[in-house]
Amino acid sequence: MNRIFALIPAAIALAIPFAAPTHAQVADVPVANKTGDFTTARVQGNRGYYRNTHWLVVEPSRSLNCRATPNGTVTTRLSSGWIVTAAFPTDKNGDAIVTGQGKPWLRVIATNPNGGKLPACLVRANSRYIAPISVDYMRETIAKETK
């Protein structure tokens, strides 16, 4: 019987090198519907909902209009390539996407490349204009590149 117990550590040592490598889980990002609209800036994860806080301006023309209200006065123009931060309400279940005039709008705060934050404003929450960024994926990619 002692011989069997003596073989257990050897069996474990042989099995460990063949274990499959594991990867950290990376949060998903919101997905646009068939018309390209994002209806939420939140994503269901394995421990509840997560907020997708960073978005990339992908507007193909010169700039994306950021408005005070849905279809309201343009307060800021955001250049393609800018990264904006979604402005979520203080309620933990709140969403940064609001509906106005039948369309979804993302409330954002942009940082001016010349310095300073711009006031919160609304952009159309559509894949023609913005794209969600996975902060987890970016962290993982940067960590790999710096090793």
Side-chain angles (χ1 to χ4, degrees), residues 95-118:
D95 203 327
I97 292 186
V98 297
T99 303
Q101 298 184 346
K103 305 276 185 193
W105 295 79
L106 177 66
R107 182 175 304 283
V108 299
I109 298 171
T111 301
N112 188 328
N114 299 325
K117 291 192 185 283
L118 301 172

Side-chain angles (χ1 to χ4, degrees), residues 34-96:
K34 64 183 178 181
T35 61
D37 287 334
F38 294 100
T39 57
T40 183
R42 300 171 68 218
V43 179
Q44 176 69 50
N46 60 353
R47 286 181 263 144
Y49 281 93
Y50 295 87
R51 293 175 167 188
N52 196 91
T53 56
H54 291 78
W55 296 74
L56 177 67
V57 175
V58 296
E59 164 64 49
S61 69
R62 294 182 159 229
S63 61
L64 175 61
N65 291 333
C66 203
R67 301 171 184 274
T69 60
N71 270 347
T73 304
V74 174
T75 59
T76 305
R77 295 188 194 281
L78 306 173
S79 297
S80 186
W82 277 24
I83 295 174
V84 295
T85 303
F88 284 87
T90 55
D91 172 18
K92 71 175 187 167
N93 295 322
D95 203 327

Side-chain angles (χ1 to χ4, degrees), residues 10-23:
I12 292 172
L14 286 174
I16 289 174
F18 300 107
T22 59
H23 298 282

